[in-house]
């Protein structure tokens, strides 16, 4: 047998040259993971804010319609915006910066329609059809809001990365032929 001579100074040079690169790669990987986590947290926080704004808008919409129904039932239509009207306006203003242009346009259409509903004929002849239209607009608005609140649309549900797939391929147990 021959003795293998190891050139230890060369090994030390190689290790000292490779170690900083390995440490830099690990640090870069950790930084990327932190960036992804921060982005996901931001997206989920945005979801929470959108959901709260939607709940407030939906509650105010229901209160506004209930207030209008009561006014028409009593036969006295109050031309001044009541408490529920102001809640709707406040909730509407909170959603302006949380959703996109399509949501703002549909919300503007709904808001205009609701105020026309309040200013409708005093005899209430158009109240039922106008109320149905308002509810239909609200459903359309809910469909738009739902698209903004889906986790896929805010970037949380991402497909697995090819690097992860490659890692899983080499770290999973090898599949061989079945043994009986």
């Amino acid at each position: 047998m021959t003795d293998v001579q190891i050139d230890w100074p060369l090994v030390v040079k190689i290790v000292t040259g490779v170690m900083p690169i390995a440490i830099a790669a690990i640090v870069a990987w950790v930084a990327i993971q932190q960036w992804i986590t921060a982005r996901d947290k931001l997206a989920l926080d945005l979801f929470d804010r959108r959901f709260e704004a939607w709940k407030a808008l939906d509650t105010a919409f229901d209160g506004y319609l209930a207030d209008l129904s009561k006014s028409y039932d009593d036969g006295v239509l109050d031309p001044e915006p009541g408490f529920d009207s102001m809640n709707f306006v406040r909730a509407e203003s909170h959603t302006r910066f949380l959703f996109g242009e399509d949501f703002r346009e549909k919300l503007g259409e709904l808001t205009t329609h609701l105020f026309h509903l309040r200013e409708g004929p005093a005899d209430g002849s158009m109240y039922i059809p106008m109320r149905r239209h308002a509810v239909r607009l609200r459903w359309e608005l809910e469909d738009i809001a739902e698209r903004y609140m889906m986790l896929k649309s805010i970037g949380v549900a991402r497909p697995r990365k090819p690097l992860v797939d490659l890692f899983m391929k080499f770290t999973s147990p090898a599949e061989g032929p079945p043994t009986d």
Side-chain angles (χ1 to χ4, degrees):
M1 279 224 195
T2 61
D3 288 332
V4 177
Q5 294 292 329
I6 298 176
D7 187 8
W8 287 108
L10 180 63
V11 170
V12 169
K13 286 180 184 178
I14 291 172
V15 169
T16 56
V18 170
M19 286 306 286
I21 295 170
I23 291 171
I26 291 170
V27 167
W29 183 79
V30 168
I32 289 169
Q33 295 304 312
Q34 288 179 335
W35 176 74
I36 289 170
T37 301
R39 188 185 67 185
D40 288 351
K41 182 177 180 339
L42 179 65
L44 290 172
D45 288 347
L46 182 58
F47 168 82
D48 288 340
R49 292 186 70 193
R50 283 177 175 166
F51 188 70
E52 289 301 317
W54 173 255
K55 280 190 343 188
L57 185 67
D58 193 40
T59 302
F61 175 79
D62 290 342
Y64 188 87
L65 284 184
D67 185 36
L68 253 136
S69 293
K70 186 176 181 302
S71 294
Y72 274 109
D73 289 345
D74 292 346
V76 178
L77 188 60
D78 183 10
E80 291 298 317
F83 178 70
D84 288 312
S85 303
M86 298 315 291
N87 280 344
F88 183 80
V89 170
R90 191 175 306 112
E92 185 250 349
S93 69
H94 287 166
T95 62
R96 288 201 179 273
F97 301 106
L98 294 173
F99 295 96
E101 186 62 34
D102 53 346
F103 183 88
R104 287 191 296 271
E105 286 174 7
K106 186 59 72 173
L107 183 58
E109 185 181 342
L110 177 63
T111 303
T112 302
H113 185 75
L114 287 177
F115 286 114
H116 287 164
L117 184 61
R118 180 172 285 285
E119 297 167 359
D123 65 354
S125 60
M126 291 299 295
Y127 175 70
I128 297 298
M130 289 180 76
R131 180 185 168 101
R132 285 184 184 142
H133 184 66
V135 170
R136 196 171 317 114
L137 286 172
R138 187 228 167 262
W139 288 341
E140 292 172 12
L141 190 65
E142 182 176 5
D143 288 341
I144 295 170
E146 188 175 311
R147 286 195 308 259
Y148 282 96
M149 290 189 276
M150 299 299 287
L151 291 181
K152 285 183 183 176
S153 70
I154 56 177
V156 174
R158 291 181 310 279
R160 288 177 46 179
K161 296 163 196 66
L163 190 61
V164 172
D165 291 336
L166 184 65
F167 177 75
M168 295 303 290
K169 179 180 175 183
F170 288 112
T171 58
S172 61
E175 294 183 24
T179 56
D180 291 49

